[in-house]
C-alpha cells in the first residue's frame, strides 16, 4: 500500500515538471556527457594509437578504431629487458612508499585533530609552512646526501613520505567524521589513546585511507624526477625513468640514420611512445575501481570547513 502511494507521488511529481525543468535536466545531462567524453576519449585515443600505424594517426585516419592492428610498438618496448626490472622497482616503490606514507601521515592527522594535544596550534603552523615554502632542490639534495640515501632504495620512499597536504586532509576528516562521544565512551571502557586509534578510529577511516593511499600511490608510480636526481644505478631506476630514457635514445638514434631505416625507426619510435603511455598507466588505473567506493566518500573531505 505504502509502495503504491509512493509510486503515485513520484509519477505525479514527474508529471508536474515544467518545460523549464526538463530543459535544465537535458542541459545538465548533456554537459555531463560532454565532460565524460572529454576525459574518456583522449585515453581511448592513446590506446588505439598504440595499435595503429603512426602514418594513419598523423593523417587523421584513426578516430575510434585502429585502421589496422599492429603490435610492433609493444613488441619492441617489451623486448627491453630493463623494462621488467623497472616495473618491479616501481611496484615495490609504490607499495612500500604508500604504506610508509599512510603510517606517517594518518597518525599525524589524527594527533592534530585532538583538542587535548599540547601546542596543537604551533605544530599545525609548522606543518603548513612547507606547503607554501620549499627548501629548494639543492638544499634537499644535500640533506639526502648527508643521510646517505643517494643511490639507495630508500631515497624513493623516505625523504618525501611526509605530506603536509595529506596531514591537513586527514586532520579535517578525523575532526568532522569521528564523534568526540566515541572517545568518551572508549575512555569509560578503559581504552587508551593508541588502542582507541587502532581498534576504533582506523576501521571507521577507510575513506580517507583510500584517498590518501591512492593519491600517494599515483604520485610514486608516476615519479621520475626524483629518480633522475637521486639514482644513478640502473638496477634501482623506476619504470617511468626507464621509459623516458628509451624514448630519448630512439629520438637520438633517428638523427643518425637516413633513408628507409630512418623511416622504420621513426614508425617504431612513434608506436613505442604510445605503447609506453599505456604500459605505464594501465596498472595504476586498474587500482581505482577497487577504491572507488571509499574514494568518492573521502575526496569531499577537503571541502568541509573546520
Amino acid at each position: 500500500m505504502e509502495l503504491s502511494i509512493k509510486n503515485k507521488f513520484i509519477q505525479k511529481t514527474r508529471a508536474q515538471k515544467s518545460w523549464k525543468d526538463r530543459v535544465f535536466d537535458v542541459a545538465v545531462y548533456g554537459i555531463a556527457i560532454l565532460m565524460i567524453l572529454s576525459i574518456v576519449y583522449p585515453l581511448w585515443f592513446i590506446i588505439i594509437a598504440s595499435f595503429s600505424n603512426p602514418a594513419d594517426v598523423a593523417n587523421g585516419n584513426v578516430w575510434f578504431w585502429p585502421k589496422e592492428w599492429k603490435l610492433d610498438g609493444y613488441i619492441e618496448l617489451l623486448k627491453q629487458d630493463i623494462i621488467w626490472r623497472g616495473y618491479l622497482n616501481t611496484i615495490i616503490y609504490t607499495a612500500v612508499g604508500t604504506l610508509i606514507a599512510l603510517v606517517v601521515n594518518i597518525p599525524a592527522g589524527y594527533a592534530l585533530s585532538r583538542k587535548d594535544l599540547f601546542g596543537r596550534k604551533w605544530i599545525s603552523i609548522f606543518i603548513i609552512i612547507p606547503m607554501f615554502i620549499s627548501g629548494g632542490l639543492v638544499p634537499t639534495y644535500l640533506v639526502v646526501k648527508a643521510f646517505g640515501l643517494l643511490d639507495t632504495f630508500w631515497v624513493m620512499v623516505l625523504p618525501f613520505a611526509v605530506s603536509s597536504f595529506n596531514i591537513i586532509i586527514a586532520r579535517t576528516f578525523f575532526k568532522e567524521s569521528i564523534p568526540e562521544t566515541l572517545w568518551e565512551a572508549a575512555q569509560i571502557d578503559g581504552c587508551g589513546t593508541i588502542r582507541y586509534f587502532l581498534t576504533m578510529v582506523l576501521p571507521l577511516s577507510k575513506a580517507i585511507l583510500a584517498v590518501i593511499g591512492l593519491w600517494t600511490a599515483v604520485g610514486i608510480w608516476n615519479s621520475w624526477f626524483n629518480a633522475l636526481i637521486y639514482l644513478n644505478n640502473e638496477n634501482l631506476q623506476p619504470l617511468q625513468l626507464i621509459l623516458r630514457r628509451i624514448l630519448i635514445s630512439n629520438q637520438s638514434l633517428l638523427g643518425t640514420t637516413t633513408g628507409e631505416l630512418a623511416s622504420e625507426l621513426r614508425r617504431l619510435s612513434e608506436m613505442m611512445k604510445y605503447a609506453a603511455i599505456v604500459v605505464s598507466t594501465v596498472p595504476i588505473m586498474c587500482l581505482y575501481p577497487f577504491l572507488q567506493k571509499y574514494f568518492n566518500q573521502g575526496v569531499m573531505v577537503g571541502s568541509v570547513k573546520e
Side-chain angles (χ1 to χ4, degrees):
M1 181 66 179
E2 293 180 358
L3 185 61
S4 62
I5 294 175
K6 184 178 180 180
N7 291 335
K8 289 181 180 179
F9 176 77
I10 293 174
Q11 293 175 0
K12 184 177 179 181
T13 304
R14 289 176 177 174
Q16 290 176 348
K17 273 190 174 182
S18 65
W19 66 272
K20 293 183 179 179
D21 294 330
R22 294 174 181 173
V23 170
F24 178 78
D25 290 343
V26 171
V28 169
Y29 282 116
I31 293 173
I33 292 173
L34 290 176
M35 291 178 64
I36 292 173
L37 290 176
S38 66
I39 297 172
V40 173
Y41 179 73
L43 299 176
W44 175 246
F45 180 80
I46 292 295
I47 294 174
I48 61 177
S50 66
F51 292 101
S52 302
N53 189 326
D56 292 333
V57 176
N59 294 330
N61 297 327
V62 176
W63 288 89
F64 298 103
W65 200 255
K67 193 173 182 180
E68 54 178 332
W69 291 87
K70 290 184 175 294
L71 298 173
D72 298 5
Y74 290 96
I75 293 173
E76 290 296 323
L77 186 65
L78 298 180
K79 277 198 309 188
Q80 310 283 338
D81 294 336
I82 198 171
I83 286 287
W84 303 106
R85 182 62 188 177
Y87 243 123
L88 179 61
N89 289 339
T90 300
I91 292 172
I92 296 175
Y93 290 146
T94 302
V96 176
T98 302
L99 179 62
I100 292 176
L102 290 175
V103 169
V104 171
N105 295 312
I106 295 298
Y110 172 72
L112 288 178
S113 70
R114 301 295 309 159
K115 296 180 181 179
D116 53 355
L117 176 65
F118 178 76
R120 183 179 66 154
K121 179 180 178 181
W122 296 107
I123 295 175
S124 297
I125 294 175
F126 181 77
I127 291 176
I128 291 175
I129 288 176
M131 292 179 62
F132 305 99
I133 302 175
S134 172
L137 179 59
V138 174
T140 303
Y141 182 88
L142 294 176
V143 171
V144 171
K145 182 179 179 180
F147 276 94
L149 295 175
L150 287 181
D151 236 8
T152 65
F153 167 85
W154 299 105
V155 76
M156 294 297 294
V157 296
L158 283 182
F160 311 100
V162 178
S163 169
S164 300
F165 178 78
N166 288 341
I167 292 176
I168 299 303
I169 291 294
R171 181 192 66 175
T172 304
F173 175 84
F174 290 127
K175 288 183 66 175
E176 300 294 336
S177 303
I178 307 297
E180 186 68 21
T181 53
L182 187 62
W183 165 240
E184 296 172 357
Q187 283 183 306
I188 294 174
D189 292 336
C191 187
T193 303
I194 297 178
R195 182 183 175 188
Y196 168 71
F197 174 72
L198 294 176
T199 61
M200 303 186 72
V201 174
L202 283 184
L204 297 175
S205 307
K206 293 179 181 178
I208 195 64
L209 289 173
V211 171
I212 293 180
L214 184 60
W215 285 345
T216 304
V218 171
I220 297 175
W221 184 274
N222 292 328
S223 177
W224 64 271
F225 185 74
N226 291 339
L228 180 66
I229 299 298
Y230 303 114
L231 289 179
N232 291 321
N233 189 345
E234 291 185 359
N235 293 326
L236 294 175
Q237 291 179 351
L239 177 66
Q240 305 295 343
L241 186 58
I242 290 174
L243 292 177
R244 174 181 178 273
R245 193 171 72 225
I246 291 174
L247 295 178
I248 291 177
S249 298
N250 288 342
Q251 292 297 325
S252 300
L253 190 60
L254 283 175
T256 61
T257 57
T258 57
E260 294 183 3
L261 179 59
S263 177
E264 179 65 16
L265 286 176
R266 187 174 294 105
R267 185 183 70 85
L268 288 176
S269 178
E270 287 297 316
M271 296 189 71
M272 287 175 66
K273 178 177 68 176
Y274 291 115
I277 296 174
V278 175
V279 166
S280 62
T281 305
V282 168
I284 199 67
M285 290 182 64
C286 293
L287 181 65
Y288 177 75
F290 298 99
L291 300 177
Q292 182 180 8
K293 174 183 176 182
Y294 304 111
F295 185 83
N296 292 339
Q297 301 171 15
V299 76
M300 297 300 294
V301 171
S303 64
V304 179
K305 65 178 182 179
E306 301 185 28

